Amino acid sequence: TGHAAFAAVASSGPQPPMSVPSATKGGELFVPYRAVGLVSAGLPVAVVQHGGETFVTASLGRTFQIYNCAKLRQVFVGPSLPAGITALGAHDDYTLVACGTAVVVYKRAELVATLEGEHTAPVRHLLAMGSSVVSVDATGLLVAWQLPSGEVAGRLHPGFAASALCHPATYLNKVLLGAPDGRMQLWNLRSSKRVHEFEHGWRAAVTAFEQSPALDVVGVGLADGRLLLHNLKFDTTLLELRHTHGDAVRCLAFRTDGQPWLVSGAASGALHVWHLERRARLSLEPCAHEGGVASCHFLRGRPELLTAGAADNSLRMWSSDLHSGELSALRGRAGHAAPPTLVRFHDDELHVGGGPGGQTHLLSAGGDRTLRRSSIWSAQQDCELSQGRETKRRSMHETSVRERRLPPVLALASSQRRERDWANVVTCHAGSPVAYSWDTTTKALAPHTLAARPAAPITAVAISACGNFAFLGSAIGAIDKYNLQSGKPRAAAAAERRQQAASTYSAAQGSVPP
């Protein structure tokens, strides 16, 4: 029970890491220790380049973490903040974090400044502009702050709460604001005056801006699925594209290595790759992220695309084919996209890993229908066990990634005894008369499936202490014994016809409770 309780604390869903209190309060049996499997809370990420290295900052609720994009390796975890993070920014060595009505500025691990006293509502957007940072709150108030002093350089209210903003290249002290009603305005931060209101009323909320490689031209994304290339100098629309079925645009990214490509992230989780000279879509990745795409960003001068999910707790890197435009997954970091429903230590009687009983890895299943292995000490070792063999058998008309996976896991058993020889994890799934075996060495489903005899939903599983046999308990009270190496049945304990109660316990040692 102690192991299970610790696992629940360590992987309790998308909650931020918490520091250990210096002293436990009277009466407390457990204290927070470490959060496992958290990658991104769904906010747009902040990307910054240092020399030849690119770093991305992602929110984790009340803290943040920084990854090196070369291998998406975690390089820094920030301190805990008093409230949830609402926006992120990055500039040079500075990390900008909006927390409630304040903006906290860090230089690596050092707190540089806390920018507060101006906003009366939560800050929704941050924008780094040279040596200053712009913050916009939920009421629409925009404040420009000098870094690192924290002095207020300007404040203005455009008359609406901006839904998107950007700094057009070479436009000194200017910020472009998009409105929920489709208006677009250019403001001077120094004078706090409006420079220009663009004549084109888009009649749909402006959801994204992105500076293009061409001066004076910005990409505009709208809530009705339209993408526009707009020339700010002449106030003319150069190109209009559209997502299918009015899928709202969440983010935009221009390729910067000479190819005229634009990638748009949609609210459905799809990634669209457009060729601007041909005015056509090159390719579509329909299930890039569950629940929408929060951010997309091409690495400078390279054909590699970084994306962050809005609801699936993941960061992914994609490589793009030069001719077809097809995106292929290059690397990624992810955790459960839905709260975990079952968490177990992947250990047995062996002393392996870094401590007694091999208590260094967790096996977890969640509402997203995935099975994951997580390391308590190193996020680099976290992985999802592949279900590719089964998902390929599902109907191609099923576009939802989650629906093509195996049903939710009800119970699991694992052993490290024969981990390098054959399957060492067994799971049973809701309503399924078949149990599945997994191999943590190959990080995928093993070749054999184990069926209940007679056919009935399997409700409990176990693995013998020697690691050779799996036991299945079914809803009619029967127990089956299988060889994990061959996948063949070895014994069975048939239920009596009069027995109606489901088997809720299956043990590899000792007697089964009546």
Side-chain angles (χ1 to χ4, degrees), residues 296-350:
C296 58
H297 181 88
F298 270 110
L299 271 60
R300 186 183 302 173
R302 297 166 65 181
E304 296 179 4
L305 178 72
L306 170 70
T307 62
D312 64 355
N313 188 28
S314 70
L315 294 173
R316 292 191 172 95
M317 292 290 299
W318 309 80
S319 62
S320 51
D321 184 86
L322 179 60
H323 302 289
S324 67
E326 294 287 341
L327 296 177
S328 57
L330 193 60
R331 64 184 71 92
R333 289 282 174 264
H336 283 293
T341 57
L342 183 65
V343 184
R344 296 286 184 271
F345 273 106
H346 177 43
D347 66 345
D348 49 24
E349 301 300 326
L350 294 179

Side-chain angles (χ1 to χ4, degrees), residues 110-413:
E110 178 187 358
L111 176 63
V112 176
T114 300
L115 315 179
E116 54 187 351
E118 294 290 331
H119 293 292
T120 57
V123 175
R124 298 301 185 196
H125 302 280
L126 289 178
L127 177 65
M129 294 175 53
S131 61
S132 62
V133 56
V134 176
S135 58
V136 182
D137 66 22
T139 66
L141 176 64
L142 185 150
V143 180
W145 314 78
Q146 286 289 343
L147 292 179
S149 65
E151 297 179 359
V152 176
R155 62 176 66 83
L156 61 91
H157 199 298
F160 56 84
S163 54
L165 72 160
C166 81
H167 170 55
T170 72
Y171 282 51
L172 186 64
N173 298 323
K174 308 296 191 304
V175 62
L176 183 66
L177 303 178
D181 59 5
R183 284 180 289 167
M184 194 166 73
Q185 299 177 353
L186 186 68
W187 286 76
N188 188 312
L189 294 176
R190 291 293 183 183
S191 63
S192 299
K193 294 182 179 180
R194 187 175 66 193
V195 177
H196 182 69
E197 179 164 359
F198 296 87
E199 296 180 0
H200 294 75
W202 309 123
R203 299 181 181 178
V206 179
T207 55
F209 284 133
E210 182 68 15
Q211 173 66 50
S212 78
L215 295 180
D216 303 317
V217 178
V218 296
V220 183
L222 304 177
D224 63 0
R226 284 181 291 163
L227 301 83
L228 311 166
L229 288 187
H230 197 79
N231 189 302
L232 302 180
K233 185 175 182 180
F234 298 103
D235 194 6
T236 56
T237 299
L238 307 177
L239 176 64
E240 180 175 327
L241 304 166
R242 186 183 293 271
H243 286 174
T244 54
H245 309 298
D247 196 5
V249 179
R250 285 279 184 86
C251 52
L252 300 170
F254 287 93
R255 194 162 162 177
T256 57
D257 60 348
Q259 296 295 327
W261 289 13
L262 169 66
V263 170
S264 56
S268 66
L271 289 173
H272 301 255
V273 182
W274 308 88
H275 196 290
L276 299 179
E277 292 182 353
R278 300 178 190 171
R279 296 173 176 254
R281 184 167 56 195
L282 283 176
S283 67
L284 169 66
E285 186 67 33
C287 302
H289 288 278
E290 291 186 63
V293 183
S295 301
C296 58
H297 181 88
F298 270 110
L299 271 60
R300 186 183 302 173
R302 297 166 65 181
E304 296 179 4
L305 178 72
L306 170 70
T307 62
D312 64 355
N313 188 28
S314 70
L315 294 173
R316 292 191 172 95
M317 292 290 299
W318 309 80
S319 62
S320 51
D321 184 86
L322 179 60
H323 302 289
S324 67
E326 294 287 341
L327 296 177
S328 57
L330 193 60
R331 64 184 71 92
R333 289 282 174 264
H336 283 293
T341 57
L342 183 65
V343 184
R344 296 286 184 271
F345 273 106
H346 177 43
D347 66 345
D348 49 24
E349 301 300 326
L350 294 179
H351 290 256
V352 296
Q359 298 166 14
T360 58
H361 288 87
L362 297 168
L363 289 173
S364 58
D368 56 356
R369 301 189 180 187
T370 62
L371 181 64
R372 304 192 64 86
R373 187 182 70 177
S374 305
S375 170
I376 295 177
W377 309 120
S378 174
Q380 287 290 103
Q381 299 179 24
D382 295 357
C383 67
E384 177 187 343
L385 274 63
S386 172
Q387 303 181 26
R389 186 190 72 204
E390 293 296 322
T391 55
K392 290 177 182 178
R393 295 177 180 177
R394 308 284 171 167
S395 171
M396 296 304 294
H397 298 289
E398 182 57 69
T399 57
S400 170
V401 174
R402 188 172 299 187
E403 293 301 320
R404 297 182 68 180
R405 295 176 181 145
L406 295 174
V409 175
L410 290 181
L412 68 86

Side-chain angles (χ1 to χ4, degrees), residues 75-126:
V75 295
F76 179 73
V77 177
S80 294
L81 297 167
I85 295 173
T86 55
L88 288 170
H91 176 68
D92 290 338
D93 291 334
Y94 296 113
T95 301
L96 315 171
V97 182
C99 175
T101 60
V103 178
V104 186
V105 183
Y106 292 96
K107 187 173 183 179
R108 297 183 178 89
E110 178 187 358
L111 176 63
V112 176
T114 300
L115 315 179
E116 54 187 351
E118 294 290 331
H119 293 292
T120 57
V123 175
R124 298 301 185 196
H125 302 280
L126 289 178

